[in-house]
Amino acid sequence: MISQISRVWSRLASLLPARADLAEMGRSPRRDLLSGLTVAIVALPLALGFGVSSGLGAEAGLATAVVAGALAALFGGSNLQVSGPTGAMTVVLVPIVGEYGPDGVLTVGLMAGVMLVVLAALRAGKYMQYVPAPVVEGFTLGIACVIGLQQVPNALGVPKPEGDRVLVVTWRAVEEFVRTPNWTAVGLAVAVAVVMLVGARWRPTVPFSIVAVIAATVVAQAAGLDAAQPIGDLPSGLPAPSLSFLELGSLGTLLAPAAAVAALAALESLLSASVADGMTVGQKHDPDRELFGQGLANLAAPLFGGVPATGAIARTAVNVRTGASSRLAALTHAAILAVIVFAAAPLVSKIPLAALAGVLLATAIRMVEVGSLRAMAKATRSDALILVLTAAATLALDLVYAVIIGLVVAGALALRAVAKQARLDQVPLDRGDHSAEEHALLAEHIVAYRIDGPLFFAAAHRFLLELTEVADVRVVILRMSRVSTMDATGALVLKDAAQKLTRRGIRVLASGIRTGQRQVLDSVGALELLRHEGQEYATTPEAIRGAREYLQSAGILPALPTQKLRTPSTSNEEALR
């Protein structure tokens, strides 16, 4: 009992902040504080925009950036990760808001937080490395398209149409704009997006997003542009934490959406942390701690009216590029946003929605790495297919289904490629190991097959067809030392082939069966068919002797007591296993 408690405590302690984290925060505080300020300036319009896009309002985006950003920075597994509301999460939340309302979204975020903590306790973070690159690239491309389309109503200055399918909503928004055009909103959105995109090329270190938003707000207020609808009133501070949104009776119906949110939070956060590692030297995140930190962040954010959060790749990249070296930068970003919430809410409330739409349109465009997509598409046809399918599924269905589809297709194509490596070759017996007369005799009645590579469900039935088509032989020898892996399907196929050949009067022998293969064969009852008189053959020469003895005892070959196969040399024996 004591040992179990000790293991649980040790596991829990490994997920909590350590002294080394605090020590890191004290090494370059000035640089981290400046990085945090820069990230906060970049994050402010994004937090507002994603809050509005989610359907819960700008205040929800700010609450998430402050609360989740601080907790994920403190308890997460990356020194450089910046967390908050993201476009990918917004894509998932829009249909949840439409079906279950704001309270449903807050409940989903709470449940997702619990799931992330459980994933961390189960050490599930390591499985992120098994997500193929084409799935990630297609996922990112699809998210960028969805984020861009979601901004169309605000960019056109029309009320958001009903519906939870982004393509349908976009089309309806365009129809409404054609009936009542609002060129003021279009001009503000396009101007903000152009300033961000051009400015990023001209001066990458300058946060042009906040510059463009401030300029658009000033112009709208000074010119009295009534068509430029502002964000609206914002609360001067965070609300008191509350669980009033939670209805225990709805937990069952919200389980599937919560699992989708948790899966996306885990995927995007671990991907973002990996990107941060790749941009630095010596930094390496702890995936389980990252899941734990994101879990705590998502447990707390709904209590303050915030939407579910994840690690944010764009903000994390800004954090790294501006010289951050510890968690202090991400904590500073959250603290500065908190100050803005308390001190500048009246000013922030005057920002035009069209300006925020322009920020998110530019963000969506910058998410698309054309060079990376081109390289992935040119790599192999399989990679191109996975990328396109994942992106299309993200646009047409939702993000979780898109990832599942991408993983399934990638797995199927990988199995197909592995299965092609497996071969069943008829191998002539080496004349160097026995006389020409014996070779001619054996070749007339015995055929040897060498199985190379994996023998599993994806390739097994092809072997069955090839084996059972053998003709004009009395003995089949299966040389199995080069079988790299075998599953139950492969073993069953061997058993089936052996039974069919035996019914035709053909004896099946095997050589070079490994220990792991023997266990699988024995579990399905195939090993006894490959054994004769309780004997197993370690090498092919021994199997040949067994075959000749069988043929002689059956009267198919005359007894030749004076002729024996020469004992092969060590190197030849290894080759004939």
Side-chain angles (χ1 to χ4, degrees):
M1 182 65 178
I2 295 177
S3 62
Q4 292 178 340
I5 295 175
S6 177
R7 283 197 299 270
V8 172
W9 171 249
S10 176
R11 178 60 186 148
L12 178 61
S14 69
L15 297 174
L16 296 174
R19 290 183 179 179
D21 300 322
L22 299 176
E24 284 285 341
M25 292 169 62
R27 290 182 181 176
S28 303
R30 186 171 179 273
R31 190 170 62 180
D32 286 334
L33 290 172
L34 290 174
S35 296
L37 174 61
T38 304
V39 175
I41 292 172
V42 172
L44 176 60
L46 293 175
L48 295 170
F50 289 135
V52 171
S53 295
S54 70
L56 269 70
E59 61 272 21
L62 283 174
T64 301
V66 173
V67 177
L71 286 174
L74 186 61
F75 290 96
S78 171
N79 287 331
L80 305 176
Q81 178 92 289
V82 178
S83 299
T86 65
M89 187 59 73
T90 300
V91 172
V92 173
L93 295 180
V94 169
I96 298 176
V97 174
E99 187 170 354
Y100 302 103
D103 287 352
V105 171
L106 299 180
T107 304
V108 162
L110 195 71
M111 296 171 66
V114 174
M115 293 178 184
L116 288 169
V117 171
V118 172
L119 287 175
L122 295 176
R123 301 175 182 267
K126 60 186 176 183
Y127 295 108
M128 171 60 194
Q129 62 184 317
Y130 297 113
V131 179
V135 174
V136 174
E137 291 291 342
F139 175 77
T140 305
L141 175 60
I143 289 173
C145 294
V146 174
I147 292 172
L149 292 173
Q150 282 181 340
Q151 308 318 308
V152 170
N154 284 337
L156 297 180
V158 300
K160 184 179 178 181
E162 294 294 327
D164 56 2
R165 293 296 179 190
V166 67
L167 293 173
V168 174
V169 170
T170 301
W171 179 253
R172 291 174 178 171
V174 171
E175 289 180 331
E176 179 63 26
F177 177 80
V178 171
R179 286 192 292 268
T180 57
N182 183 346
W183 294 107
T184 300
V186 173
L188 287 176
V190 171
V192 169
V194 169
V195 168
M196 284 183 61
L197 294 173
V198 174
R201 289 181 173 274
W202 178 50
R203 290 285 189 274
T205 58
V206 177
F208 279 98
S209 59
I210 195 70
V211 173
V213 167
I214 292 174
T217 305
V218 170
V219 169
Q221 292 296 313
L225 301 178
D226 295 334
Q229 182 184 354
I231 291 175
D233 292 338
L234 291 175
S236 298
L238 295 175
S242 170
L243 280 172
S244 59
F245 60 86
L246 184 62
E247 294 184 11
L248 296 179
S250 66
L251 296 183
T253 59
L254 293 174
L255 187 60
V261 168
L264 177 60
L267 177 66
E268 190 173 13
S269 298
L270 294 178
L271 175 61
S272 177
S274 299
V275 169
D277 290 347
M279 296 176 65
T280 59
V281 177
Q283 293 283 353
K284 186 171 178 59
H285 74 283
D286 182 329
D288 296 325
R289 276 192 63 185
E290 185 59 34
L291 291 180
F292 182 70
Q294 295 295 334
L296 293 183
N298 281 288
L299 279 170
L303 304 182
F304 297 88
V307 296
T310 74
I313 296 177
R315 276 156 275 177
T316 299
V318 171
N319 196 37
V320 174
R321 291 193 188 108
T322 52
S325 61
S326 75
R327 301 165 189 270
L328 182 59
L331 284 169
T332 301
H333 133 272
I336 292 173
L337 290 177
V339 171
I340 292 173
V341 169
F342 283 97
L347 296 176
V348 173
S349 66
K350 298 182 183 301
I351 296 175
L353 290 174
L356 292 181
V359 171
L360 299 186
L361 283 170
T363 301
I365 293 171
R366 291 167 63 177
M367 286 176 65
V368 180
E369 296 286 347
V370 177
S372 178
L373 292 175
R374 186 183 294 115
M376 197 67 63
K378 289 182 178 180
T380 66
R381 291 182 180 178
S382 296
D383 290 333
L385 175 62
I386 294 166
L387 188 152
V388 171
L389 280 178
T390 306
T394 302
L395 190 59
L397 302 174
D398 65 45
L399 302 190
V400 176
Y401 282 131
V403 172
I404 292 173
I405 290 171
L407 290 175
V408 169
V409 174
L413 293 175
L415 286 174
R416 179 172 173 266
V418 171
K420 283 184 175 181
Q421 297 175 2
R423 299 193 313 276
L424 181 68
D425 298 328
Q426 183 175 340
V427 184
L429 300 173
D430 192 345
R431 292 176 181 270
D433 294 312
H434 30 78
S435 67
E437 293 81 9
E438 287 172 329
H439 176 81
L441 185 63
L442 291 171
E444 186 177 348
H445 298 284
I446 301 173
V447 63
Y449 283 102
R450 184 177 63 216
I451 305 175
D452 285 348
L455 182 57
F456 67 125
F457 68 92
H461 293 286
R462 176 161 53 88
F463 283 118
L464 175 62
L465 292 174
E466 292 185 33
L467 272 176
T468 53
E469 287 176 357
V470 66
D472 300 328
V473 297
R474 297 290 187 174
V475 178
V476 170
I477 298 175
L478 299 178
R479 300 171 62 177
M480 300 180 59
S481 63
R482 297 190 184 182
V483 175
S484 57
T485 185
M486 180 188 297
D487 67 356
T489 304
L492 284 170
V493 164
L494 280 182
K495 176 183 177 182
D496 193 9
Q499 289 174 332
K500 290 182 178 179
L501 292 172
T502 300
R503 285 196 292 269
R504 290 171 50 194
I506 300 173
R507 172 156 294 202
V508 182
L509 307 179
S511 67
I513 301 176
R514 298 177 181 177
T515 302
Q517 299 167 6
R518 186 180 297 111
Q519 292 174 349
V520 177
L521 290 167
D522 193 33
S523 67
V524 299
L527 191 58
E528 287 301 319
L529 290 173
L530 303 177
R531 281 177 172 170
H532 294 281
E533 299 179 359
Q535 183 178 3
E536 289 185 38
Y537 301 103
T539 65
T540 300
E542 293 177 11
I544 294 171
R545 294 190 189 97
R548 294 188 70 252
E549 291 171 0
Y550 161 72
L551 293 175
Q552 291 168 6
S553 64
I556 299 170
L557 289 181
L560 300 171
T562 59
Q563 293 185 352
K564 295 182 180 179
L565 286 170
R566 285 193 299 115
T567 301
S569 64
T570 303
S571 60
N572 285 331
E573 185 172 349
E574 179 66 26
L576 287 173
R577 285 184 183 277

